[in-house]
Amino acid sequence: MKPSKMYLQKRPENGVWYFRRPIPKDLRDFVNFGNRREFVISLKTDKLPDARKAHHGLWMESERLLEEAKQRKKAAGDENVFTESQRENPGAKDSLKRRPVEQFSRAELVTLAHRWFAGEWQAWLDKYQKRPALMNGTERQQEAEKLETEIEALISGEVFQEQRLAALRRQIIEDAGGYMTLRRSHSAWDAYAEFGSLILEGTLAVRRLAVAFLRTGQPPAMEHLALRLAPMVKDAAKAASSVSLDSLIERFSKDPKRNDLKPKTRDEFALVCGVLREMLGTETPIAAITREQMREIQELYMQLPAHAGTLYPGKTLRESVAQAKREGKEPMARATFNKRMTMISGLFRFAVKELLLAQSPADGLALEGEAKTEGEKSFSADELNRIFAGEVYQRFANQPDAAFTVNHPLRPHEYWSPLIALFEGMRMEEILQLLPSDITEADGVKCIRIREGEEQSLKTKQSVRTIPIHPELERLGFLRYVESVRQSEATELFPDATRGKTYGNRSHNYSKRFNRYLWDVGVKQGRSQCFHSLRHTFTDAMREAEIPQDALRRLGGWTDKSSAETSYGGRLLPYLARHLERVKYEGLNLSHLPRPRIKATVRAKLPERV
């Protein structure tokens, strides 16, 4: 189908061509586009031939949007329906998830108005603080007089027309996940009309606050702001007063988005909720919870040691902190602390999202800065030599076949796991949950497939990846060990690795033994090193080898799999293998480690595209 006319317009000021097509008046309330009077899209070219080429696609898209608008108009049907907009959220896959405005209670609409007001005032403050000229008394005076004129016009109705008010109400509702299908006779109409009045009052209040700021040169005190917000805050607090902390926790726990949480995360959240109930009270209305209370919880958590529940069973948060101080215990790692604070913030952000609170009292509790510096420092060459010359590796050196024998009493996973982490950058759980079929070959490259499955879980979605096997691992005989696993018909690559009793993860027991081993070889000091430090050492080695960023992120599992494959097609693995070969550790001595007696082969094959 071809357009009946061209909707092209050239901007004289910059010479750029635009697609510009008017929207029929009867469809403006139904069309799914930001500007409901016309479609206006920059073609980003000053050449007419290029503009004509782009025109057809935009015309087809505008035709589709207009056809959808016609269907929405037809569905609205009833003459008694007052439709400001039936736009659906462009990002929502299921339009039924959005709420018609009549399903918003009066309290929810008041909360929305309050939240909008606070955002508007902050935007005005930001605008003024970016204009140094307003520090001049004359400039401030002129701006204040201009705003006072606007206030008078707003009060008289000269400026704030119904159309502008309707558009603002509609935008606020849509931002909250709703859409407009109000009947004039509907019982919600009064609440909606009052919502409009609150927006009008808020618009006036923002300008009055701005005038006060300009007259004094200082932002109004919070007490002043609270007085302006009082009518809205009172109703919002009333709406939330019936929701207790216990009720909020229950709602949050049942949120469908939390269905896929791992058992360990659920247990950690339960511990945090226990602290909140202890400190704040189970029946305390969430609207009565203050920022000061959140700060107190934050300060106590900052002093709490790791595993406090195990160390001090039955003790309260305050009692645990006091006991830890007496015993000289170190506080929990920053990463652990931030995780707890994020859980608390998430609970109250959920309340804001559900319109149970106008503002969260728990935002910004986590500490800034990288958590890595506390517990995941890289190893030096000297420290690596101590690790691979320690007692564990001496035992394997004394029994050369042990490293290549599945289920050997010396536990081969303790031999191979640090080496794989050092040369592949894999996490401990990623290594210990490997299957024999995960060691394979594709595009002529021997590789390791890191994936999720019934018995395999990963830290992030980006962790799914297929990476080449480092040549040093091949020289050390890793593939010979893999062959012995296949011959034994074992279902796991490291069946000798025992699982933790609580969550069944394979890393639980070995991580403790490895930490003790680091102490034994004189490497570990406090939290400065752990098994994950091998992954950081690998990352540092990639940077020193000046490996391109895209390859670095793909090898480490920090990028989306599909995007990398799109860039390199079926040649991704050879590309990664070339760069992985450059990862070396100057000063590292592994000459004492046993070598395989039989050359290994990789039996399984992956499809050409990995």
Side-chain angles (χ1 to χ4, degrees):
M1 186 167 59
K2 293 184 178 180
S4 57
K5 61 177 292 187
M6 298 289 280
Y7 297 98
L8 293 176
Q9 184 181 67
K10 190 174 186 179
R11 290 280 176 88
E13 61 271 20
N14 57 17
V16 174
W17 286 95
Y18 279 73
F19 176 86
R20 190 166 185 173
R21 181 179 183 180
I23 298 173
K25 288 184 179 181
D26 62 325
L27 297 180
R28 288 176 183 173
D29 286 330
F30 302 90
V31 74
N32 187 5
F33 194 76
N35 180 349
R36 268 159 289 195
R37 291 183 177 275
E38 58 184 347
F39 299 105
V40 181
I41 302 171
S42 172
L43 301 180
K44 299 180 180 179
T45 180
D46 57 359
K47 296 179 175 59
L48 182 57
D50 292 339
R52 285 174 173 167
K53 288 179 183 178
H55 176 274
H56 184 72
L58 292 174
W59 178 81
M60 292 289 291
E61 180 65 12
S62 64
E63 280 289 298
R64 183 186 66 79
L65 292 172
L66 290 175
E67 184 59 33
E68 289 180 356
K70 291 175 184 177
Q71 296 300 323
R72 291 192 188 97
K73 180 184 177 183
K74 183 178 179 181
D78 192 342
E79 294 180 358
N80 292 324
V81 175
F82 173 75
T83 306
E84 286 194 35
S85 173
Q86 288 186 315
R87 288 195 303 162
E88 298 170 359
N89 182 2
K93 294 182 179 178
D94 183 3
S95 62
L96 295 177
K97 293 180 181 178
R98 295 179 65 77
R99 301 166 61 192
V101 69
E102 54 262 35
Q103 291 183 9
F104 285 78
S105 68
R106 178 181 179 278
E108 287 176 321
L109 292 174
V110 168
T111 301
L112 283 177
H114 169 222
R115 192 190 302 171
W116 165 84
F117 179 91
E120 282 289 292
W121 171 234
Q122 187 59 52
W124 277 69
L125 273 182
D126 291 344
K127 181 181 75 170
Y128 285 147
Q129 289 168 352
K130 291 177 182 177
R131 293 174 61 183
L134 287 177
M135 297 307 295
N136 178 284
T138 304
E139 291 287 336
R140 289 204 308 269
Q141 181 71 17
Q142 292 174 350
E143 186 75 10
E145 291 174 357
K146 178 183 174 182
L147 285 174
E148 286 172 340
T149 303
E150 284 188 21
I151 291 171
E152 292 177 5
L154 283 167
I155 294 172
S156 65
E158 294 176 8
V159 174
F160 210 100
Q161 300 93 348
E162 179 60 28
Q163 184 179 7
R164 181 180 170 190
L165 175 61
L168 189 52
R169 285 184 299 194
R170 177 176 58 240
Q171 187 60 52
I172 296 171
I173 288 292
E174 289 176 352
D175 288 346
Y179 62 93
M180 301 299 196
T181 55
L182 271 175
R183 298 175 181 273
R184 289 187 180 276
S185 57
H186 199 283
S187 59
W189 178 257
D190 290 341
Y192 177 66
E194 183 179 356
F195 177 57
S197 299
L198 285 171
I199 297 302
L200 179 56
E201 287 299 318
T203 304
L204 282 166
V206 164
R207 283 159 175 75
R208 286 168 177 153
L209 287 168
V211 169
F213 169 68
L214 293 167
R215 295 292 190 198
T216 63
Q218 297 292 330
M222 289 306 295
E223 292 77 9
H224 187 187
L225 182 59
L227 289 174
R228 294 292 188 188
L229 294 174
M232 300 181 190
V233 173
K234 181 179 178 181
D235 286 337
K238 184 178 179 181
S241 62
S242 60
V243 180
S244 66
L245 175 63
D246 216 36
S247 176
L248 174 63
I249 292 172
E250 183 179 358
R251 290 193 195 190
F252 186 53
S253 300
K254 292 180 179 178
D255 183 20
K257 293 181 180 179
R258 298 177 59 79
N259 289 342
D260 296 332
L261 290 182
K262 295 179 181 179
K264 184 178 180 181
T265 304
R266 291 185 183 278
D267 289 350
E268 289 173 346
F269 179 69
L271 290 173
V272 168
C273 290
V275 169
L276 292 176
R277 290 184 173 108
E278 168 202 318
M279 295 291 294
L280 304 173
T282 57
E283 298 304 318
T284 300
I286 57 174
I289 297 172
T290 65
R291 182 68 174 178
E292 288 71 21
Q293 289 173 307
M294 290 293 102
R295 284 294 186 191
E296 182 185 9
I297 293 173
Q298 180 199 42
E299 290 172 6
L300 288 171
Y301 254 114
M302 289 175 68
Q303 305 170 67
L304 195 68
H307 311 296
T310 303
L311 292 172
Y312 314 116
K315 291 187 179 293
T316 66
L317 179 61
R318 289 191 180 91
E319 290 170 346
S320 297
V321 169
Q323 183 70 20
K325 283 184 176 180
R326 287 193 293 270
E327 296 176 0
K329 296 284 187 183
E330 287 187 19
M332 66 177 68
R334 175 178 290 190
T336 306
F337 169 81
N338 282 346
K339 189 174 183 181
R340 301 290 186 271
M341 295 301 103
T342 300
M343 287 179 174
I344 294 174
S345 299
L347 175 67
F348 287 96
R349 280 199 301 271
F350 173 80
V352 173
K353 180 181 175 183
E354 294 295 303
L355 302 180
L356 301 173
L357 284 177
Q359 289 179 301
S360 167
D363 283 343
L365 296 178
L367 298 177
E368 296 181 359
E370 295 187 14
K372 170 185 169 181
T373 56
E374 286 197 9
E376 298 171 0
K377 181 180 177 182
S378 301
F379 291 120
S380 66
D382 177 63
E383 289 170 333
L384 289 174
N385 285 328
R386 291 188 195 181
I387 292 170
F388 294 114
E391 182 183 354
V392 168
Y393 286 89
Q394 288 175 6
R395 290 201 301 264
F396 279 94
N398 294 333
Q399 299 187 47
D401 291 337
F404 313 108
T405 305
V406 65
N407 272 323
H408 193 279
L410 289 185
R411 295 186 292 223
H413 77 274
E414 295 191 9
Y415 178 89
W416 288 111
S417 294
L419 290 168
I420 295 172
L422 182 64
F423 288 103
E424 303 292 339
M426 292 173 62
R427 301 175 178 93
M428 182 185 290
E429 189 71 19
E430 291 175 345
I431 296 169
L432 296 180
Q433 68 184 8
L434 286 171
L435 307 178
S437 58
D438 292 330
I439 312 304
T440 184
E441 183 176 325
D443 295 325
V445 177
K446 299 177 181 67
C447 52
I448 301 174
R449 182 170 52 187
I450 304 165
R451 57 180 175 168
E452 286 189 300
E454 291 184 10
E455 296 293 327
Q456 295 170 297
S457 62
L458 298 176
K459 184 177 180 180
T460 65
K461 293 180 180 179
Q462 290 75 23
S463 298
V464 177
R465 61 198 189 277
T466 301
I467 56 178
I469 295 176
H470 195 285
E472 186 63 24
L473 283 181
E474 291 192 50
R475 286 191 286 270
L476 290 170
F478 174 60
L479 295 179
R480 177 67 187 91
Y481 171 75
V482 174
E483 189 66 19
S484 75
V485 175
R486 290 199 176 110
Q487 290 174 358
S488 73
E489 298 184 355
T491 58
E492 297 178 351
L493 190 62
F494 296 108
D496 55 300
T498 57
R499 295 172 179 258
K501 293 181 179 179
T502 306
Y503 302 109
N505 54 324
R506 299 165 180 84
S507 59
H508 179 79
N509 295 328
Y510 177 48
S511 63
K512 293 181 178 179
R513 291 199 303 274
F514 187 79
N515 279 337
R516 288 195 294 269
Y517 178 67
L518 291 180
W519 283 108
D520 293 341
V521 297
V523 169
K524 191 172 181 65
Q525 298 178 356
R527 294 197 184 106
S528 59
Q529 282 96 1
C530 61
F531 186 91
H532 203 71
S533 298
L534 291 164
R535 178 170 163 86
H536 291 298
T537 307
F538 172 76
T539 304
D540 290 345
M542 285 198 292
R543 292 195 181 102
E544 289 176 10
E546 297 182 350
I547 289 179
Q549 189 69 14
D550 60 336
L552 184 149
R553 294 184 64 80
R554 184 70 181 95
L555 289 166
W558 297 299
T559 191
D560 180 64
K561 180 182 180 224
S562 60
S563 65
E565 291 183 351
T566 300
S567 300
Y568 298 98
R571 307 304 298 168
L572 174 62
L573 278 170
Y575 170 78
L576 295 177
R578 289 196 302 273
H579 289 297
L580 184 61
E581 288 177 3
R582 295 161 51 197
V583 173
K584 297 179 182 179
Y585 300 95
E586 187 175 351
L588 175 63
N589 181 15
L590 301 178
S591 61
H592 59 287
L593 297 184
R595 295 296 192 272
R597 298 178 183 178
I598 304 173
K599 185 178 180 180
T601 59
V602 180
R603 292 180 177 178
K605 297 277 186 178
L606 278 180
E608 285 302 308
R609 271 184 81 86
V610 180

